[in-house]
Structure formats: C-alpha cells, structure tokens
Amino acid sequence: MRDVADRADVSKSLVSLAYRSPASVSPHRLERILAAAAELGYRPNRVARSLNGAREDFVGILVADTRNPVLTDVVESARATLADAGRLGLVTSAVLPSPSSGSALDVEVVAMLGDLQPSGLLVVGSVPDMDRVVEMTASARLVIASGRPGSRGGLATVRGDDEVGMRLVVDHLTALGHRRIGHVGGEGGPVAAGRASAFAGAVREHGLDAGTIVPSDFTERAGHRAASALLDSADPPTAIAAVNDLAAIGVLAAVAERGLSGTVAVTGYDNTYLAALGPIDLTSVDPHNDVIGRRAAELLLAPGHVPASDDGVLVAPSLAVRGSSTTVV
C-alpha cells in the first residue's frame, strides 16, 4: 500500500480510503491510485482486512439454489449495484443436496462466511434454517431477496408481490373463459406456500373452487408429477398455473404426453429466460428480478438500521403473455 501511495503521489491513508470507500475519493485521485495499483500488481488482502475489522467493502451472498435462473438474475443485479458502490459481492451456495429432505443448510460454508465478517449478507431465495444463518453471521446486516423469512420475524426482505402476481394469472385465465383452474405448487418453502395461498385467494375472488391445488416444489419433475395427477383426475382442469417456470415445463410435458397441447392452458412464474424460448413459449409472471436485486443491495448499502416489516419491500410484478395460455375456451 505504501508503494502504491508513493507511485500515485498520495498518502497511504488515501489509498486505504480508495479501497474502502471509492466514492469518498475525488475521481482524479482515484484514477491515479488504481492505475498505480495496476502497474504494481497490488490488491488488498480482504481476509486480513476482515480480521482487522476493515470489512466495509465486503458483502456475502448466500444463494438457495444456484441452478435456479430466477435467483441468478437477482444475484447479478445485486452484484452490479454493489460493484458500483465499490463493494465486493462474494457468492456461494447456501445449501447441500440432502436425500432425505431435498436440501439442507451448508453449515460449514455459512460459518466460514461468518468468520470473514462481511459488512452485509444477502440471502437470495428460501434458505433452510434461517435461525442458524442469523446466528452464524450475527455481525452482518442481513437482507433477504426473492424469499421469505419463514417463521423468523424481524428480517428485511425484498420480493415480488405474489398476491398481485397470482391475481394477474387468474384474471388472465378467467378472461379466456377458464373455470376449472389447477395449481401445482405449495411445497419447497415459504415462497411456494405463499404463492399457493395467493392462487387460492385469487380463484375465490372469481367465485371458483379453490381446492384444485396439487403439491409440487420448484422442480420440473415435481411439476410433471403434480400435473399428471390433475390431468388424470375425474374432472381435469382446462388451465394449470405452476409455482415457477421449471415446474411449468414439467406441466407442459405432462400436457403434451396426453395430446392436450393447445387445449390446456399453462402458466409459469418468474419469467426466466426459459419461458421465452420458442418451443416453450410460456406465459409467466415477471417479478422484475433486476429491480429486486438492486433494491436488496441498496438496503444493504443504506446507512443506519435495515428496516424490516411483515411484508417487506414488495415489487409489483407484470404478466408476460405467450402462446402457452392464449387458447380461448
């Protein structure tokens, strides 16, 4: 650091400030410092700085499912916002596959992240055992993005408004004449449970039977299994709303296997890149993941106490209508 200061003709303390809080240094001096550091091959040792308590520039990002494209969108938006503020966003998976329960908290990884003393922790998606996460990262400001805290209260959250999203789906399907609408979802954590509840409320608003919900988590396999049960029932639905896009792809497969493509309407949720692929052409709720990621990062960066409420910060979704649901009954 002294070498960088000498090369840039500034003080050592200003070099330190440039890495801790780039916005506090004039653009001209910051450019000189970064150029000098690049010439000398210097970079700060972030682990040593964490051990010394200098951790303002480091944010941990725990992801519930690194395979889920919707969570990837949230992470990328959050990291871009953190980078603009001179913060490093270190991303890791929060869970390990578990044959018995589907997923389990990766305690060793979370503990190691806590040992590094990040200034903030962004939890993306529904992570199991949030109490343990909070306990092991107690010194960090914590925000949940695209997830719910479950039974634990007092945590700041930023997520899409699932009640509005499911209402958009049901309004769309009923406008096309559908009266028997099924839902595959409800399993896999608080988000799935919340969307199932929102679906039930939306169909009740239209005077429809709210009991056509078959349990499914967020996977394609579960969506296929649940849709098969619905389609093989005595009174099959003419439309199926899935908990997310991956489950909806499983639904589409079950519909195609029965020769019902173009007859049974299918909708997804999260509007991932999969929904827009030509062969899938899936109507899906867009929760605006870029907005969720950005606002979650902004909460972590904001000075003072991180606000928390029962509902959290709700981002209004929209409906991307495609060919999977446009058949009129």
Side-chain angles (χ1 to χ4, degrees):
M1 192 177 290
R2 281 192 296 270
D3 293 338
V4 172
D6 291 342
R7 177 70 64 92
D9 194 23
V10 297
S11 67
K12 179 184 173 184
S13 61
L14 190 63
V15 174
S16 177
L17 182 63
Y19 282 96
R20 292 198 320 271
S21 180
S24 303
V25 180
S26 69
H28 175 65
R29 286 185 171 180
L30 181 61
E31 183 179 355
R32 280 165 46 197
I33 291 168
L34 295 179
E39 291 170 7
L40 294 170
Y42 167 81
R43 67 176 182 84
N45 187 319
R46 297 182 185 275
V47 174
R49 295 177 67 187
S50 290
L51 295 175
N52 287 328
R55 52 189 177 81
E56 294 86 355
D57 63 344
F58 167 43
V59 172
I61 303 177
L62 283 174
V63 186
D65 184 357
T66 54
R67 300 164 300 178
N68 190 333
V70 65
L71 301 186
T72 301
D73 291 344
V74 174
V75 169
E76 289 181 351
S77 177
R79 289 188 70 196
T81 303
L82 293 169
D84 288 343
R87 304 290 182 94
L88 170 70
L90 180 62
V91 184
T92 184
S93 174
V95 300
L96 286 172
S98 171
S100 59
S101 62
S103 65
L105 185 69
D106 191 337
V107 175
E108 291 298 323
V109 164
V110 176
M112 183 178 67
L113 193 59
D115 290 343
L116 293 174
Q117 301 185 69
S119 61
L121 182 69
L122 180 62
V123 178
V124 183
S126 298
V127 171
D129 203 353
M130 275 302 302
D131 286 342
R132 195 81 180 272
V133 173
V134 172
E135 175 188 330
M136 291 189 290
T137 59
S139 63
R141 295 160 60 97
L142 191 149
V143 173
I144 299 173
S146 287
R148 301 191 187 207
S151 60
R152 184 182 181 93
L155 299 178
T157 63
V158 181
R159 60 182 178 85
D161 192 331
D162 290 339
E163 289 191 6
V164 172
M166 278 301 180
R167 190 177 300 120
L168 290 172
V169 166
V170 175
D171 287 351
H172 167 67
L173 294 173
T174 55
L176 294 172
H178 294 282
R179 307 299 293 173
R180 299 193 310 280
I181 305 172
H183 177 65
V184 298
E187 291 186 341
V191 169
R195 289 180 183 175
S197 176
F199 169 81
V203 295
R204 279 195 297 266
E205 289 178 5
H206 285 273
L208 306 179
D209 177 18
T212 50
I213 299 176
V214 177
S216 169
D217 59 22
F218 296 101
T219 64
E220 180 181 351
R221 179 183 299 179
H224 180 274
R225 183 175 59 248
S228 297
L230 277 171
L231 295 170
D232 294 340
S233 64
D235 190 22
T238 60
I240 300 176
V243 64
N244 73 336
D245 289 351
L246 288 175
I249 291 173
V251 174
L252 288 170
V255 168
E257 289 167 1
R258 289 157 178 78
L260 298 174
S261 298
T263 302
V264 176
V266 179
T267 65
Y269 208 112
D270 292 331
N271 199 33
T272 63
Y273 75 92
L274 297 171
L277 294 177
I280 298 174
D281 200 26
L282 178 67
T283 293
S284 184
V285 176
D286 187 348
H288 302 295
N289 299 313
D290 57 332
V291 177
I292 292 172
R294 184 181 72 249
R295 295 189 67 176
E298 288 171 349
L299 272 183
L300 282 176
L301 295 170
H305 177 68
V306 180
S309 66
D310 291 340
D311 291 331
V313 177
L314 296 178
V315 176
S318 59
L319 186 66
V321 178
R322 301 186 179 93
S324 69
S325 69
T326 54
T327 302
V328 178
V329 178

